[in-house]
Amino acid sequence: MSIHSLKQDNVSGVNNNPEVGLMNRREEIRTYWKELLAATIGTGFGVATPIFYTTGLFVPSLRTEFGWSLSELSLLPLVGCFIIIITSPFVGRIIDKYGVKIPTSVSLIALSASFICLTVSGPSFTSFMVIWIVMHFVAAESTPVSFTRVVTTRFTSMRGLSLGITLGGAGIVAFLVPKLLGDTIASDWRQGYYVLSAAVLAAAIIFWLLLPAKDPVSETCSVMNIPAATLMSIDISVFVNRRGLLSEF
């Protein structure tokens, strides 16, 4: 096996040389299904998903109770998206240094606590916005940047499919949460945040229990790094969708 061949494999992120013993597809799933499930659940309940796909549901109730304008409330997803963009490189650096499990679990717990804090904000929009900003900073480690790292460090022959399943967690939650929580939020917006808080906390516990403490170290498989811009585009697309929903009110 030539050095040139090894370099080509490392650049592509997938080693196709038959001389290298890669796990087959079924072996990867059997070995890493817990990590895949943890990443999928984390993506679904991280800061980039439940917030942006439910914000529009809270708008009518918040306007009715506090009299906040639509232009003020429209700032919420914009500010959240901006914070995710500027923190993504730092998130990547933190997980490179400390791993995924502890920083991400702490962020999920912080996100859960932040939802509770939102219930006691108001009537000042400024106080609500301050909590909103702090929430996105403390929960920054729970973006797809962290969860895709879980699968890219473990899967090789199934890397594309595992990434698709992981990011599909956001789609599942985005589809189900508005349907399941719509009536609750409409009748009592604070109760809606309580339910989101409990759901995120449960996700944090499951993520902690399923994910091993350390990232695997492989001598035969190179790890594909996802460009930060690619992961940011996921969050931007979510933000654009939320802006469209907000404009309906």
Side-chain angles (χ1 to χ4, degrees):
M1 182 170 59
S2 66
I3 295 176
H4 176 72
S5 175
L6 283 173
K7 288 181 178 179
Q8 286 296 102
D9 290 334
N10 288 333
V11 169
S12 65
V14 177
N15 199 322
N16 295 317
N17 196 301
E19 298 179 23
V20 179
L22 297 176
M23 282 189 271
N24 63 34
R25 295 174 185 268
R26 291 182 180 178
E27 287 175 333
E28 284 191 343
I29 291 295
R30 283 198 300 265
T31 303
Y32 298 128
W33 69 269
K34 290 183 179 180
E35 290 87 339
L36 178 58
L37 180 59
T40 303
I41 292 174
T43 302
F45 290 94
V47 69
T49 305
I51 292 177
F52 292 112
Y53 282 103
T54 60
T55 299
L57 300 175
F58 288 94
V59 168
S61 298
L62 292 174
R63 293 186 70 188
T64 299
E65 180 165 340
F66 299 121
W68 299 337
S69 68
L70 182 59
S71 60
E72 287 176 320
L73 292 168
S74 296
L75 289 174
L76 297 176
L78 175 64
V79 170
C81 182
F82 178 73
I83 293 173
I84 289 174
I85 291 174
I86 63 175
T87 56
S88 289
F90 300 99
V91 169
R93 184 68 186 93
I94 289 172
I95 62 177
D96 281 342
K97 186 173 183 179
Y98 300 106
V100 175
K101 184 172 184 175
I102 294 178
T104 304
S105 298
V106 170
S107 275
L108 286 170
I109 294 172
L111 177 60
S112 175
S114 297
F115 282 134
I116 300 297
C117 292
L118 287 176
T119 65
V120 297
S121 63
S124 168
F125 179 74
T126 300
S127 64
F128 191 92
M129 177 61 82
V130 169
I131 296 174
W132 187 268
I133 291 172
V134 173
M135 174 175 67
H136 280 80
F137 274 108
V138 298
E141 287 287 339
S142 64
T143 63
V145 176
S146 298
F147 301 117
T148 53
R149 169 65 180 265
V150 173
V151 295
T152 57
T153 54
R154 290 167 171 85
F155 289 87
T156 302
S157 60
M158 294 280 284
R159 184 174 288 160
L161 178 59
S162 64
L163 282 170
I165 293 172
T166 298
L167 296 176
I172 294 172
V173 172
F175 176 77
L176 292 178
V177 168
K179 295 182 180 298
L180 297 176
L181 279 184
D183 293 339
T184 300
I185 295 172
S187 61
D188 185 351
W189 65 271
R190 290 181 177 84
Q191 187 65 31
Y193 277 131
Y194 288 140
V195 174
L196 285 177
S197 174
V200 173
L201 181 60
I205 294 172
I206 295 172
F207 180 81
W208 176 268
L209 294 175
L210 290 176
L211 194 68
K214 295 182 179 180
D215 290 336
V217 178
S218 174
E219 297 179 356
T220 60
C221 302
S222 61
V223 176
M224 180 184 69
N225 294 317
I226 305 299
T230 300
L231 297 173
M232 289 178 190
S233 68
I234 298 170
D235 299 324
I236 292 172
S237 66
V238 171
F239 157 70
V240 172
N241 288 336
R242 292 307 315 138
R243 290 280 290 181
L245 287 176
L246 280 173
S247 64
E248 296 178 6
F249 296 99

